[in-house]
Every structure is written in C-alpha cells, then in structure tokens.
Amino acid sequence: MIGVLDSGLGGLTFLKEFSDALPGYSFVYLGDNARAPYGNKSQEIIYKYTRQGVEFLFDKGCELIIIACNTASSEPLKKIQQEFLLEKYPDKNVLGVIVPTVEGAMQSINYNSKKNKIGIIGTKATMESKSYDQEFKKLSPKVEIYKKATPLLVPLIEEGWLDRRETKMILRYYLRDLKNNKVNTLILGCTHYPVLHKTIQGIVGSQINVADAPKAVALRLKDYLTRHPERDEKIEKKRKRIFYTTDDKKRFASIGQRFYKAPIKKVEKINLEQ
Ligand code: DGL
C-alpha cells in the first residue's frame, strides 16, 4: 500500500490525484485532525507528530509514504529521511510534496525570457522554513522568490467559506504584494489551497501561472514508481482506499469529501499519542 499522511483533510486533494493517476494501487490515508493545524506549531512538535504518523502507516503495511502536507514536508521530512528512516525502516521510503511541486512548476518556466519570479503562499511553518527556496535555487539559481504566510486560509477553507466575500477580501490582501512584485508563477504551498485555485487565479489574473501542485506530485509519483520497479513490485494493488483520522470520523467524512471530491464511506478513528 501507499500511505498518504497529512495533518488533516487537505492531503485528500493529493490522494484524489494519486487515485486518478494510479487507480489500481491500494492507498491508506491518515489525517491527524486531532492535532491539526500543524502550520502554526514549532518544527520540533511537527517532527514528532509526523514521525508518529509515519510509524503508524508503516505498521499498517505501507511500503512507501507520501507526506501530503507542505508543513511536514519542509524541515520535518529531512529529519525523517536522514535519521528516522535510516535507523528504523531502511528498506522503506518517505517522500514529500515540496520537491515534486517545485519540479512541476519549473517545467512551465521559460528560462530564456525574463527573470523568473516565483510567489509562494503557505502556512507560517512552511514559509519560515527555507525548503521551497532551497529546492528552487537547486534547479535555477537565478530564480527570485517572494513568500507570504497565509495562516487564515486553512480555517476559512475548513469552514467551507470558499465563495464568501470575506475569503476573497483576505485573499486579495494576501496576494497584493505578490502581484505588485510581478511574480510570474504562484505556488499554492499548502494542501488546502487547491480548492481555492480558481478564485486565486481570478484574483491574480491570467498572466500569472497558478501551479497545480496535486497533479504535478501525482505525475512524479507515477514516474518514481516506474523508476523503482523493485519498490513498485512490493506495493499492493487491490484498489483499496482506507481512511484513518485521529479525531471525529463523521466530520472527517463530511468535510473530507470537499477535498477528495468523492464520497468517503468508511473512516476509522485511531490514537497516535503513546
Ligand atoms: N496540511 C498543511 C500544509 O499543507 C495545512 C494545514 C495545517 O497547517 O496543518 O501545510
């Protein structure tokens, strides 16, 4: 199975794309809703929570885990890959969403035309970490990065305030500096934001390319499995979709459908606190 881990519901936007790209594979999703949001917490706490989620998914038989959470894919993922994985699960792998999102965005950039200005929005923890900056600079040292923490968006989205005037006002406020700085690509660096993709595109205008992170990550996951047949062979392909949450099952299923864009019929509640 492929594990998909998020602090809560936003990772379901990625699971949807993974399911579409790899329909035959079995996926198990864990949303740590009881302790979400991660985005305002310290790196130490986010690492601890992420490690517990990863252990749970490996115990459930996952061969590969995708951390479908930008906040956990920044600093905590490095520590998971460089320390925890090597010590405890050397035969398995954990991947994040930041590297494939950056690779996907770079594909639409014209290296020869003008200066590449990239705008990124995300949680406080993701914006304070240097993860996006480092990945972009690796691919193109000339790229200029403009970041903006947008902490009010996750609660508004979870409340279902997608078309509300208030949400659009807050978005306009958050996006103003990026527009003024004339970014040509905008990265939605948080798993929740793809549900606002159209609204954001409407606000920034068609001259700014709003990158589609879930699609880019799904494409690269497919490519990773082709390049690693030894791992791919071990992954169960029985079309299972299993959902776990650390909080209320009903709320997970009802609000989760907005992100997953399909009914979520069965959810199991688990406890990650030892
Ligand atoms: N999943 C988180 C992210 O992509 C957003 C929600 C949270 O802060 O936990 O950054």
Side-chain angles (χ1 to χ4, degrees):
M1 288 192 286
I2 299 177
V4 180
L5 173 65
D6 183 31
S7 56
L9 301 165
L12 291 164
T13 54
F14 284 83
L15 179 64
K16 189 217 169 273
E17 294 299 334
F18 298 165
S19 292
D20 289 352
L22 300 159
Y25 287 66
S26 295
F27 288 95
V28 44
Y29 184 92
L30 169 61
D32 189 11
N33 300 75
R35 303 187 294 188
Y38 285 5
N40 301 325
K41 297 193 167 67
S42 68
Q43 295 294 352
E44 195 190 333
I45 290 292
I46 302 164
Y47 170 72
K48 181 180 141 196
Y49 291 173
T50 308
R51 196 194 61 219
Q52 289 172 335
V54 164
E55 269 196 300
F56 173 83
L57 289 171
F58 279 147
D59 286 350
K60 287 285 161 205
C62 292
E63 190 55 42
L64 170 70
I65 295 172
I66 311 298
I67 300 193
C69 172
N70 284 263
T71 305
S73 292
S74 55
E75 296 300 316
L77 174 64
K78 277 187 211 140
K79 211 167 158 194
I80 297 267
Q81 289 173 328
Q82 289 163 8
E83 296 171 19
F84 180 69
L85 202 57
L86 288 183
E87 275 165 30
K88 282 203 77 176
Y89 302 95
D91 299 333
K92 306 212 176 199
N93 205 2
V94 182
L95 303 170
V97 290
I98 293 183
V99 172
T101 299
V102 169
E103 286 171 356
M106 288 306 275
Q107 279 195 334
S108 60
I109 281 171
N110 181 350
Y111 290 83
N112 300 323
S113 66
K114 50 193 161 191
K115 268 206 159 165
N116 293 316
K117 294 185 173 189
I118 312 278
I120 311 170
I121 55 174
T123 65
K124 277 190 184 149
T126 308
M127 294 300 95
E128 277 164 17
S129 87
K130 295 273 177 289
S131 301
Y132 268 105
D133 314 49
Q134 285 160 358
E135 294 309 325
F136 270 114
K137 299 273 176 194
K138 267 188 216 163
L139 296 183
S140 170
K142 274 195 269 170
V143 99
E144 274 180 34
I145 310 275
Y146 298 87
K147 296 191 291 186
K148 181 89 183 166
T150 48
L152 293 174
L153 297 184
V154 167
L156 288 168
I157 294 167
E158 292 216 348
E159 239 359 87
W161 281 30
L162 302 183
D163 294 316
R164 296 280 286 250
R165 204 164 46 93
E166 294 84 349
T167 305
K168 287 181 189 153
M169 266 170 56
I170 290 169
L171 271 173
R172 265 188 231 105
Y173 167 78
Y174 278 151
L175 296 168
R176 191 178 306 145
D177 288 348
L178 301 177
K179 267 178 92 173
N180 288 344
N181 282 316
K182 300 209 174 349
V183 301
N184 30 47
T185 299
L186 176 64
I187 306 290
L188 307 185
C190 172
T191 47
H192 280 60
Y193 304 171
V195 297
L196 288 173
H197 192 288
K198 273 197 194 127
T199 314
I200 292 172
Q201 186 75 70
I203 292 172
V204 297
S206 56
Q207 68 282 8
I208 297 180
N209 166 39
V210 181
D212 191 334
K215 276 216 166 62
V217 178
L219 257 173
R220 273 152 193 84
L221 171 59
K222 210 173 165 179
D223 179 54
Y224 170 87
L225 294 170
T226 315
R227 286 185 289 106
H228 295 86
E230 70 301 337
R231 191 172 302 285
D232 185 49
E233 255 168 37
K234 293 189 198 153
I235 298 174
E236 185 189 284
K237 297 174 187 73
K238 292 188 181 164
R239 295 176 177 266
K240 287 185 199 156
R241 303 290 181 268
I242 301 168
F243 299 90
Y244 292 100
T245 176
T246 52
D247 203 350
D248 187 70
K249 295 192 284 188
K250 278 196 187 134
R251 185 174 186 272
F252 180 94
S254 72
I255 305 183
Q257 299 183 51
R258 275 184 222 147
F259 297 91
Y260 190 48
K261 299 203 178 95
I264 298 175
K265 290 183 193 124
K266 193 166 166 266
V267 187
E268 199 177 313
K269 185 180 169 185
I270 55 122
N271 185 6
L272 287 178
E273 298 277 7
Q274 256 56 224

